[in-house]
Amino acid sequence: MSDQPIDLRSDTVTKPTPDMRAAMAAAEVGDDVYGEDPTVIALEERVAALFGKEAALFTPTGSMANVLAVRSVVGVGEEVLCESSAHIARAELGAHGAFTGLTMRTWTHERGGLDLAAVESLFAPDLGPFFVPTKAISIENTHNFAGGTVLPVDDMRALRAFANSAGAAVHLDGARIWNAHVASGVPFEEYGRQVDVLAVCLSKGLGAPVGSLLVGSAEAVAEARVWRKRMGGGMRQVGILAAAGLYALDHHIERLAEDHANARLLAEACDVDPAGVETNIVAIDVPDAAAVVTAARDAGVLVGAVGPRTVRIVTHLDVSAAQAKDAAAVMAKVLAEVR
Ligand SMILES: Cc1ncc(COP(=O)(O)O)c(C=O)c1O
């Protein structure tokens, strides 16, 4: 093993490749707040078309894309339903409540998936001044904290049918929809068809340094453009970053299969059933997550604690198959000592 630690904390730790940097350096740019950055426009149009939607909006982060996306379908004093360990509920630091003034209620699913019966029983129609009305149901695909699980498209279809009948919108946190697509073979457009609005990230598995997009109707995107500026997210010659995203869409989607294979290899070493590891994230139950993080770091492997007894390993563009193998040997040893 080299002196450099193998960093498996997150797929956000990747550095732009030389070819991605070259694409960034060559990007044509303009002032995007004036709507004059051709590279941003090209990225937004491309991603909107990919998901079969009218428009898209480039944002600095996935959190901002999610906040803008959810607020396009849920207003002040209204609610969104989501799974209890969804990123929007657990890891966006209350942004949806703070900025939109909405509330959330949750269902729990072992694999971060959909429990339609729970959604149906939680759903609150608008009864005037009595209950918080449900305006949207949010799903996450792949699901980060559940271990990169893929939400089956049939579940998304069933949710779409329920939401249509109930008059609610569907939001998708698709930060890692690229991984879901590669694992399931479901076309992006088919995912887009099942939801009203979605957020996608370029800065995770795809390896771009910065950038996410909200994707939806022209009306939702026009409104989100105003809110993005209000929140301080109006960026200027940002085509430099959009170019990294375009490069990633061209070159870094299909290769995610390698990350998925590396994750399964690591899962086996960590005594996690590889059949349950569908993409690039492995969630490992341990007696003391902080102790495992420290022991692994001392042995040259960086992993994350996402709960007191859950360690998370994430494979990505900057971890080769050989490094995954080395890290697997380290993790097997570390876990044997603590279990
Ligand atoms: C599922 C999911 N959604 C949204 C986000 C937020 O992205 P960002 O860190 O760019 O705000 C993350 C970040 O890891 C994520 O895992």
Side-chain angles (χ1 to χ4, degrees):
M1 267 177 67
S2 92
D3 293 346
Q4 290 300 313
I6 299 171
D7 195 343
L8 299 172
R9 289 171 302 167
S10 173
D11 47 11
T12 57
V13 301
T14 56
K15 307 219 170 100
T17 62
D19 286 346
M20 182 181 277
R21 284 176 188 263
M24 295 169 76
E28 256 190 84
V29 297
D31 189 325
D32 184 51
V33 174
Y34 284 93
E36 291 172 2
D37 190 305
T39 311
V40 173
I41 292 169
L43 175 67
E44 290 175 342
E45 287 179 351
R46 177 154 171 199
V47 173
L50 198 60
F51 290 95
K53 297 290 185 205
E54 286 174 345
L57 181 74
F58 190 54
T59 61
T61 64
S63 299
M64 189 187 281
N66 271 336
V67 169
L68 296 176
V70 175
R71 78 151 302 292
S72 76
V73 285
V74 185
V76 178
E78 299 173 342
E79 76 178 3
V80 57
L81 305 179
C82 62
E83 202 278 328
S84 59
S85 58
H87 198 276
I88 65 163
R90 196 181 165 205
E92 290 171 14
L93 306 178
H96 298 262
F99 299 129
T100 305
L102 56 69
T103 58
M104 291 180 180
R105 282 188 300 149
T106 59
W107 73 89
T108 297
H109 186 283
E110 207 194 346
R111 291 181 64 75
L114 178 69
D115 180 342
L116 193 53
V119 170
E120 287 174 2
S121 73
L122 285 166
F123 183 84
D126 193 343
L127 295 176
F130 295 103
F131 298 108
V132 178
T134 308
K135 292 293 169 176
I137 301 132
S138 176
I139 47 182
E140 189 174 309
N141 198 8
T142 67
H143 196 291
N144 178 350
F145 294 120
T149 45
V150 177
L151 183 63
V153 71
D154 279 345
D155 287 7
M156 293 178 68
R157 291 190 184 112
L159 178 63
R160 170 85 274 175
F162 169 72
N164 284 351
S165 68
V170 179
H171 162 257
L172 168 65
D173 179 348
R176 296 185 179 81
I177 194 69
W178 327 106
N179 300 82
H181 160 76
V182 167
S184 68
V186 174
F188 292 117
E189 203 171 339
E190 183 60 13
Y191 280 134
R193 204 169 287 135
Q194 310 313 323
V195 305
D196 296 280
V197 66
L198 68 154
V200 300
C201 291
L202 304 164
S203 58
K204 307 210 161 53
L206 294 195
V210 177
S212 294
L213 294 107
L214 167 166
V215 194
S217 68
E219 194 187 344
V221 167
E223 210 199 356
R225 195 174 290 281
V226 176
W227 274 90
R228 180 186 67 175
K229 184 69 163 52
R230 189 169 282 137
M231 293 172 76
M235 301 175 286
R236 303 292 177 172
Q237 285 70 21
V238 73
I240 287 180
L241 298 178
L246 284 166
Y247 180 90
L249 291 173
D250 284 335
H251 299 281
H252 292 170
I253 294 182
E254 296 312 323
R255 67 149 304 284
L256 290 170
E258 296 167 32
D259 297 347
H260 299 177
N262 289 340
R264 282 192 296 274
L265 183 125
L266 277 148
E268 254 176 277
C270 297
D271 215 11
V272 171
D273 181 3
V277 175
E278 296 171 88
T279 61
N280 67 327
I281 303 179
V282 187
I284 311 163
D285 293 332
V286 293
D288 179 351
V292 172
V293 170
T294 306
R297 188 193 59 211
D298 292 348
V301 175
L302 305 182
V303 299
V306 293
R309 281 178 293 281
T310 311
V311 164
R312 189 186 69 165
I313 283 180
V314 190
T315 55
H316 52 76
L317 182 62
D318 288 358
V319 174
S320 66
Q323 286 173 311
K325 214 168 149 205
D326 286 348
V330 167
M331 291 308 295
K333 199 154 165 266
V334 166
L335 290 168
E337 277 159 21
V338 299
R339 272 173 171 159

